[in-house]
């Protein structure tokens, strides 16, 4: 089964470089890995670049410890100066986008960039990687328009976060999986809008109950006290993580700086304990400590560490006539049509207008369930995504071996964006039976 994952990697790599980054024969693609990178992903990206006619090269850099995660070899920085597309795929070292020289090149519109750092093959091919990125990007543009011009943010969570910050006057940054022009940046998988606070303005209590970059999921939520934009006390929580954060603050310059607030937008992201996956999930918020150069701050720390909070409520300019509720308790509070859309001009069908009801419904299934009783008894148990995928693969292999691939028919309903993947899956399985029931109006 493991070897078959290259099929998924190739399909996603072609989608990333061909569709989302618009790579052509005029581009120079630099792919950066380390010795922990899954080469199936890197080779798929190289193959996609070659198929698009672009020049490409793969550069392997040393694994950096988390305290030096944004430092690149000088030879790599020279290579960055010559490329037009930068693909960061280091797995043991930190997010490439927070390297200061790379940010300078992006600001100068010398290249476009995708960060696939600290990500596994599951991040690359499943969960948030399967979202409709045109739709996710459109949501990013809407959130950016709502966010633009607001100055103050107040973030609260059921776990206890009560944090205030003044946001800087930069344009809110869209990272929603599309980077087609010089100066654009994206991640993979993706789906967030973010901004940096004004230095020295963040204050209050931050309680992290979701995964933390490098440190994992806290067994007990970690509480931090923030004053004048800095972490001044690690109050308590998961003992191991608290010890590491205290050591980091003591040893790494500016790692106590509050660098970013980001809001997740990707509805396909999994809640699987992986910070890269969860921080992009719709309804989450992440606060970062460390390097804020990407967000216009002078702090040039060698770390940038995202910390995920669940079920946030985020209010901009609270108590003023500009007060705007962005998200409440981690849930979408309102859905509207797009008045600029050329087809419907903002008119929305009843299903769209009611989508907050099924998104937030308590009976909505959000994790795989496996039947444990007889059919019809309604007895189920929750299983992991890995077990679910393994079960599907084993059953499909059994059917193919016993009855032949033609025993399976692949059926899809309304077309939209699933037609290609369904037909590719049918072709790969070897079945000649594919049908579409027709498009709804």
């Amino acid at each position: 089964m493991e070897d078959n994952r290259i099929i998924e990697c190739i399909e996603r790599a072609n989608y990333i470089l061909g569709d989302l980054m618009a790579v052509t024969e005029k581009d120079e693609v630099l792919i950066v890995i380390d010795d922990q990178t899954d080469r199936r992903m890197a080779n798929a990206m190289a193959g996609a670049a070659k198929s698009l006619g672009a020049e490409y090269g793969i550069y392997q850099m040393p694994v950096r410890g988390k305290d030096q995660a944004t430092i690149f070899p000088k030879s790599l920085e020279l290579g960055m100066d010559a490329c037009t597309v930068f693909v960061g795929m280091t797995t043991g070292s930190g997010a490439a986008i927070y390297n200061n020289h790379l940010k300078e090149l992006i600001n100068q519109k010398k290249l476009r960039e995708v960060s696939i750092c600290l990500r596994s093959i599951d991040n690359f091919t499943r969960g948030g990687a399967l979202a409709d990125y045109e739709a996710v990007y459109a949501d990013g543009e809407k959130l950016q328009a709502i966010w633009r011009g607001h100055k103050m943010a107040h973030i609260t969570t059921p776990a206890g976060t009560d944090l205030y910050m003044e946001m800087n006057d930069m344009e809110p940054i869209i990272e929603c999986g599309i980077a087609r022009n010089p100066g654009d940046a994206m991640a993979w998988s993706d789906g967030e809008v973010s901004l940096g606070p004004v230095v020295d303005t963040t204050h209050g209590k931050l309680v992290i109950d979701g995964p933390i970059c490098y440190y994992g999921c806290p067994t007990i939520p970690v509480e931090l006290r923030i004053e004048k934009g800095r972490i001044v006390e690690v109050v308590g929580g998961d003992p191991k993580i608290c010890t590491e954060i205290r050591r980091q603050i003591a040893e790494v310059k500016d790692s106590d700086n509050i660098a970013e607030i980001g809001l997740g937008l990707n509805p396909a992201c999994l809640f699987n304990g992986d910070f890269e996956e969860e921080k992009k999930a719709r309804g989450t918020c992440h606060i970062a400590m460390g390097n804020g150069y990407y967000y216009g701050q002078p702090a040039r720390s060698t770390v940038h560490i995202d910390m995920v909070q669940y079920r946030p409520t985020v209010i901009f300019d609270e108590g003023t006539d500009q007060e705007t509720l962005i998200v409440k308790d981690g849930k979408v509070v309102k859905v509207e049509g797009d008045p600029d859309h050329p087809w419907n001009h903002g008119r929305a069908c009843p299903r769209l207008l009611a989508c907050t009801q099924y998104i937030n419904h308590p009976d909505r299934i959000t994790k795989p369930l496996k039947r444990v009783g007889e059919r019809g008894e309604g007895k189920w148990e929750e299983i992991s995504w890995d077990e679910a995928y393994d079960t599907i693969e084993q059953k499909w292999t059994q059917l193919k071996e016993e009855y032949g691939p033609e025993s399976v028919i692949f059926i899809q309903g309304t077309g939209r964006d699933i037609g290609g993947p369904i037909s590719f899956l049918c072709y790969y399985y070897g079945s000649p039976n594919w049908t579409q029931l027709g498009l709804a109006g």
Side-chain angles (χ1 to χ4, degrees):
M1 176 185 177
E2 186 177 31
D3 290 341
N4 293 340
R5 298 297 296 275
I6 189 63
I7 304 293
E8 300 173 65
C9 291
I10 291 170
E11 190 275 332
R12 289 292 87 183
N14 283 318
Y15 178 54
I16 294 167
L17 291 185
D19 291 6
L20 302 181
M21 301 194 78
V23 168
T24 72
E25 67 279 358
K26 297 179 181 179
D27 282 306
E28 293 265 353
V29 180
L30 177 59
I31 301 166
V32 181
I33 64 172
D34 59 24
D35 60 17
Q36 295 183 23
T37 302
D38 190 320
R39 290 301 294 262
R40 291 172 294 180
M41 300 190 302
N43 289 341
M45 293 294 280
K50 182 178 180 180
S51 70
L52 294 164
E55 292 283 359
Y56 74 89
I58 298 178
Y59 182 108
Q60 182 166 331
M61 65 173 282
V63 172
R64 301 294 197 199
K66 57 181 175 292
D67 294 347
Q68 293 186 316
T70 62
I71 299 176
F72 284 177
K74 287 184 170 49
S75 57
L76 173 54
E77 294 197 349
L78 291 172
M80 290 158 55
D81 290 334
C83 75
T84 59
V85 177
F86 181 88
V87 182
M89 301 190 77
T90 51
T91 299
S93 50
I97 201 167
Y98 298 111
N99 172 266
N100 293 334
H101 184 55
L102 179 59
K103 177 57 179 174
E104 290 166 356
L105 294 172
I106 292 171
N107 286 343
Q108 295 165 11
K109 299 189 184 302
K110 297 286 184 66
L111 53 75
R112 54 200 189 277
E113 186 265 354
V114 55
S115 173
I116 315 177
C117 297
L118 298 170
R119 286 167 166 86
S120 68
I121 197 169
D122 284 339
N123 294 127
F124 192 73
T125 60
R126 296 175 178 175
L130 299 177
D132 177 350
Y133 276 91
E134 299 292 345
V136 173
Y137 196 89
D139 284 346
E141 290 179 313
K142 293 174 186 176
L143 179 53
Q144 181 192 59
I146 294 170
W147 195 325
R148 184 183 294 123
H150 286 287
K151 292 300 295 179
M152 303 301 299
H154 181 200
I155 305 103
T156 58
T157 68
T161 290
D162 190 8
L163 197 67
Y164 295 84
M165 64 177 64
E166 180 182 347
M167 298 175 290
N168 66 38
D169 57 5
M170 287 176 59
E171 181 81 341
I173 297 170
I174 301 175
E175 289 183 316
C176 288
I178 293 178
R180 294 173 178 144
N181 301 303
D184 288 349
M186 60 177 275
W188 187 260
S189 54
D190 212 356
E192 68 170 274
V193 177
S194 58
L195 196 60
V198 175
V199 174
D200 297 339
T201 66
T202 306
H203 62 280
K205 179 170 64 172
L206 176 60
V207 181
I208 307 116
D209 53 348
I212 304 171
C213 176
Y214 300 116
Y215 300 136
C217 292
T219 56
I220 305 168
V222 173
E223 181 178 338
L224 307 175
R225 184 163 63 89
I226 316 296
E227 292 181 4
K228 295 183 178 179
R230 303 271 175 172
I231 300 169
V232 296
E233 182 183 5
V234 181
V235 178
D238 184 300
K240 183 177 180 180
I241 293 178
C242 288
T243 298
E244 277 297 300
I245 293 176
R246 291 187 184 107
R247 180 205 60 78
Q248 170 201 296
I249 290 173
E251 297 178 3
V252 182
K253 185 179 187 306
D254 284 331
S255 63
D256 58 349
N257 174 62
I258 299 301
E260 172 197 0
I261 172 177
L263 301 179
L265 287 173
N266 191 326
C269 280
L270 307 177
F271 287 88
N272 59 359
D274 186 315
F275 92 95
E276 291 284 21
E277 184 80 6
E278 291 200 11
K279 75 172 186 174
K280 306 290 185 177
R282 185 182 293 270
T284 62
C285 171
H286 60 273
I287 303 293
M289 56 180 166
N291 191 314
Y293 184 61
Y294 187 69
Y295 298 97
Q297 294 183 348
R300 289 187 173 219
S301 176
T302 55
V303 301
H304 181 96
I305 295 178
D306 293 311
M307 304 172 285
V308 176
Q309 292 89 59
Y310 296 136
R311 298 170 56 196
T313 295
V314 181
I315 304 174
F316 290 162
D317 293 333
E318 187 175 27
T320 74
D321 56 4
Q322 301 298 315
E323 179 175 315
T324 302
L325 176 66
I326 299 299
V327 61
K328 183 177 181 181
D329 199 23
K331 297 178 180 178
V332 178
V333 294
K334 188 177 182 181
V335 177
E336 298 176 337
D338 181 359
D340 296 325
H341 196 282
W343 289 359
N344 60 16
H345 304 290
R347 295 187 298 273
C349 69
R351 187 171 67 172
L352 172 64
L353 296 174
C355 77
T356 55
Q357 297 177 36
Y358 57 78
I359 288 173
N360 301 323
H361 197 283
D363 294 334
R364 181 186 175 204
I365 298 173
T366 58
K367 296 182 178 180
L369 301 177
K370 183 177 181 179
R371 191 175 71 240
V372 294
E374 296 297 323
R375 185 183 295 273
E377 284 189 301
K379 295 181 179 179
W380 305 87
E381 67 176 3
E382 186 178 300
I383 62 174
S384 69
W385 286 100
D386 283 342
E387 183 180 349
Y389 287 128
D390 287 345
T391 301
I392 293 168
E393 191 271 341
Q394 291 163 9
K395 184 65 175 178
W396 276 28
T397 299
Q398 178 188 348
L399 290 171
K400 188 174 184 179
E401 291 176 349
E402 292 185 9
Y403 305 106
E406 66 276 3
S407 64
V408 177
I409 183 171
F410 292 76
I411 304 174
Q412 68 182 74
T414 54
R416 299 192 177 97
D417 61 332
I418 65 169
I422 292 291
S423 59
F424 292 153
L425 180 61
C426 178
Y427 177 80
Y428 172 72
Y429 191 71
S431 173
N433 306 313
W434 173 84
T435 185
Q436 180 173 334
L437 300 180
L439 292 170

